[in-house]
Amino acid sequence: MFRFAPSPNGDLHLGHALSALLNAEAAAASGGRMRVRIEDIDGERSRPAFVARILEDLDWLGIAYERPVRRQSDHLASYQGALVHLAALGLTYPSFASRAAVRAATEAEAARTGRPAPRDPDGAPLHPGLDRDLDPAAAAARIAAGEPHAMRLRMDRAVALAGPLSWRERDVDPDGHPTGTVRRVAADPAAWGDVVLARKDAPASYHLAVVVDDAAEGITEVIRGADLFHATAVHRLLQVLLGLPEPVYRHHRLILGEDGRKLSKSAGSAGLRALRAAGATPADIRRLVGL
Ligand code: GLU
């Protein structure tokens, strides 16, 4: 079972088209099936209006997938269940520190040690574990009083509990097609620090929701952009901790914009709608993404 999992915070662009087409191709070639999942639990950025536009663009591209389309916002109880499971293992803690407080703490640490602040594989400052050792009763009182907080993973304990981790990666040629080799990649989730599992405006983080959903939908192979390669380490860790099955992963090249950077949601001339309005056909899109 394959899946394409867009976030409805903008219209689809050529990068999404490559992912969707590679998934559809793999599904067709293996007699496998494909699903579409709308990753809409980021309350700040998700816009319901984009959902219909995304599905319309997929239809236009000729992507066949099974219904119903899963929407993460319909499954909040399953993410909550996973969070409770991790909490019962002693692997979570509430963190009340604002983003500004986290930044100040990392900068102070950098000034103290004279070394640049440690960063995660995406280049964001690593969370320094603020609030990790708060008194549980005091933390509970602050939560009861409505103080905003995020639930974070105690990465050191989680990694110790899970033991050495790796994932299966299907190698691809420059087009994004499988070479036939599946290798094991050593996973280093600790490089991400105490990742967020949930916050007030997003009852499950991307990492937590994606592993729960991939398991719930019986996804056996995850084909997605290379920008998520290192995040797979966190996904493997959560799968092991939650007792979820292990899909094979395949990360494909990214489509870059004219400025040489990864396409963003406001992809402008690389947006599928803009291309379609300018007369592009689905066959043109395939060519534009190099298929
Ligand atoms: N929703 C993510 C995105 O649009 C993709 C997540 C995934 O494929 O694992 O970037």
Side-chain angles (χ1 to χ4, degrees):
M1 181 71 85
F2 297 82
R3 63 23 167 220
F4 174 60
S7 307
N9 49 17
D11 281 323
L12 298 185
H13 54 56
L14 288 174
H16 297 111
L18 178 60
S19 263
L21 288 165
L22 286 173
N23 272 289
E25 219 172 62
S30 67
R33 300 152 58 197
M34 169 162 169
R35 311 200 64 119
V36 169
R37 177 196 312 146
I38 300 295
E39 303 212 319
D40 63 348
I41 42 172
D42 182 343
E44 254 175 50
R45 295 192 302 152
S46 284
R47 297 279 175 276
F50 284 120
V51 176
R53 294 168 68 92
I54 286 172
L55 298 178
E56 198 185 297
D57 286 351
L58 289 175
D59 285 343
W60 174 74
L61 258 187
I63 305 287
Y65 55 88
E66 293 181 11
R67 266 73 170 180
V69 169
R70 182 177 172 102
R71 286 191 191 215
Q72 289 185 327
S73 52
D74 291 336
H75 298 275
L76 300 185
S78 28
Y79 313 133
Q80 183 59 31
L83 198 57
V84 166
H85 181 107
L86 295 172
L89 293 171
L91 299 179
T92 66
Y93 66 95
S95 169
F96 301 90
S98 64
R99 285 200 176 92
V102 170
R103 201 174 324 115
T106 36
E107 280 165 12
E109 177 68 4
R112 199 181 62 77
T113 60
R115 278 196 239 120
R119 292 181 180 268
D120 71 21
D122 276 351
L126 215 53
H127 185 261
L130 294 179
D131 296 343
R132 195 194 272 149
D133 299 314
L134 280 184
D135 168 53
R142 287 169 74 175
I143 293 173
E147 194 175 331
H149 62 280
M151 291 305 288
R152 289 185 177 266
L153 184 69
R154 278 180 196 271
M155 186 56 85
D156 53 352
R157 284 194 200 165
V159 164
L161 186 64
L165 293 168
S166 63
W167 78 83
R168 287 175 294 165
E169 177 79 21
R170 196 181 293 285
D171 279 339
V172 291
D173 64 19
D175 287 342
H177 294 122
T179 59
T181 311
V182 177
R183 65 193 162 101
R184 279 234 162 241
V185 179
D188 178 23
W192 293 94
D194 289 355
V195 289
V196 170
L197 298 170
R199 17 173 146 251
K200 200 161 158 226
D201 58 352
S205 66
Y206 159 63
H207 295 310
L208 185 62
V210 79
V211 297
V212 169
D213 288 335
D214 283 338
E217 296 199 285
I219 305 303
T220 49
E221 183 147 348
V222 172
I223 302 178
R224 61 187 179 188
D227 51 335
L228 291 169
F229 183 85
H230 292 290
T232 310
V234 177
H235 302 168
R236 256 323 275 150
L237 172 64
L238 292 175
Q239 284 158 0
V240 168
L241 297 172
L242 295 167
L244 302 175
E246 177 190 4
V248 178
Y249 289 86
R250 193 209 293 187
H251 294 94
H252 61 74
R253 67 189 155 82
L254 299 177
I255 307 272
L256 302 179
E258 279 157 17
D259 56 1
R261 296 165 65 130
K262 198 178 111 179
L263 292 177
S264 68
K265 288 292 168 182
S266 47
S269 58
L272 296 190
R273 283 184 179 245
L275 290 161
R276 185 165 139 197
T281 64
D284 294 329
I285 303 294
R286 296 184 68 89
R287 217 168 25 247
L288 284 169
V289 299
L291 289 179

